[in-house]
Amino acid sequence: MILIGQYDSSFVRRVGIALRLYGLTFEHRPWSVFSDAARIRPLSPLMRVPVLVLDDLDVLVDSHLILAHLESAVPAERSLWPAAEPDRHRAFRVAGLATGLADKGVSLFYERVLHKEISALWADRCRSQISGALAMLEEDRAERQSAWWFGDAIGHADVAVACAIRHTTEALPDVVAMQDYPELRAHCERLEALPVFREISQPFIPPA
């Protein structure tokens, strides 16, 4: 398989880390949707990453759908979702909050960088959504007693939160103050120290 996209995207990074955790081999092509647009467009006309080219050369886009496909391709014992309820749907909720947080971070960053006149209404809305998601995740993490969000092994909820917060704090350092979220900060520091997180990593690079 071939994973396309830069690891400073929380969505691309999340897929790359999952591939490693699943034990699946892949080639990484760190193409940018800006400087490598001509190479990405034939595979992803929406110009979105991650893009995953499968062994049969079919192409998947959208990180949620890519991860759903990968989850279906590995044995149940290698799943990165809790097997039993209610933890299973609770993990979906945490991952959904994290990816929504990441999406709002991207929206706010582009609003600031790509528009000459920033919409104060939209920027305030994004900031409110980011802080609301962080507050809810902080409260949820504080209720957990284990090293991982659910159970005794790393899962998609853990990865989604760490990737989203890494990108958002680097892209919007004046918006997110992690000292206000000590449980999330400790969680992210623990994950970022793991070998797979150090390998699948890239400092945030603003578009030229």
Side-chain angles (χ1 to χ4, degrees), residues 1-9 11-13 16 19-20 26-40 43 47-53 199-207:
M1 292 182 287
I2 302 171
L3 175 61
I4 295 170
Q6 296 189 334
Y7 286 148
D8 64 348
S9 160
F11 302 100
V12 178
R13 191 182 186 210
L19 282 162
R20 283 284 185 264
F26 69 100
E27 174 187 341
H28 178 225
R29 296 183 183 173
W31 295 351
S32 163
V33 294
F34 290 93
S35 58
D36 298 297
R39 291 193 282 188
I40 292 176
L43 300 170
M47 296 299 295
R48 295 177 62 187
V49 291
V51 175
L52 188 68
V53 182
E199 175 199 357
I200 309 294
S201 179
Q202 175 185 321
F204 177 66
I205 302 174

Side-chain angles (χ1 to χ4, degrees), residues 71 76 79-92 149-151 153-157:
E71 179 80 7
S79 174
L80 295 177
W81 294 114
E85 296 290 2
D87 278 355
R88 187 172 178 85
H89 75 255
R90 289 173 179 168
F92 291 163
W149 217 290
F150 297 95
I154 191 171
H156 278 306

Side-chain angles (χ1 to χ4, degrees), residues 160-177:
V161 170
C163 289
I165 288 177
R166 166 75 177 272
H167 174 268
T168 307
T169 54
E170 290 190 354
L172 304 166
D174 61 319
V175 173
V176 179

Side-chain angles (χ1 to χ4, degrees), residues 57-102:
L57 301 185
D58 279 344
V59 176
L60 297 179
V61 296
D62 186 280
S63 58
H64 298 290
L65 299 180
I66 290 171
L67 292 174
H69 169 74
L70 297 177
E71 179 80 7
S72 70
V74 299
E77 62 269 18
R78 286 158 64 188
S79 174
L80 295 177
W81 294 114
E85 296 290 2
D87 278 355
R88 187 172 178 85
H89 75 255
R90 289 173 179 168
F92 291 163
R93 173 177 175 270
V94 169
L97 282 169
T99 54
L101 159 68

